[in-house]
Amino acid sequence: AGDLIMLAALCWVAREVYGEDNPKWQRFRVWMLTRAPRLLLKLYMKYGERFARLISGKPRVKNIIRHWMDARIA
């Protein structure tokens, strides 16, 4: 059950990068859960929330990450 709650909350970084109202964060979550390398998913689950807080208010960093995420969901 804990893993399901974690998966529902997953994508702190995508929500920070795209914004809550942009459906791209949900597309990225699907990519993360179905196509991402396993190690990336594990790191994202462990550090994603902290990383999202770290990049908050840093538009240049978010822009770089957004480009990378866009390429994954294209």
Side-chain angles (χ1 to χ4, degrees):
D3 285 346
L4 289 177
I5 292 169
M6 176 67 81
L7 292 177
L10 190 66
C11 285
W12 308 275
V13 178
R15 284 194 307 260
E16 180 64 38
V17 165
Y18 288 117
E20 290 279 341
D21 297 332
N22 186 333
K24 282 186 174 184
W25 80 261
Q26 294 169 329
R27 288 176 47 205
F28 184 80
R29 179 178 59 193
V30 170
W31 177 86
M32 179 64 75
L33 294 173
T34 61
R35 310 222 28 225
R38 198 167 175 87
L39 177 60
L40 179 61
L41 177 60
K42 288 178 87 171
L43 290 171
Y44 199 89
M45 290 176 72
K46 185 170 184 173
Y47 300 110
E49 191 170 11
R50 274 184 267 173
F51 187 71
R53 283 195 304 266
L54 180 73
I55 66 171
S56 180
K58 295 181 174 72
R60 284 184 181 163
V61 174
K62 289 197 281 189
N63 192 43
I64 293 166
I65 295 168
R66 184 179 309 109
H67 286 315
W68 182 85
M69 288 179 163
D70 284 346
R72 307 285 84 71
I73 63 174

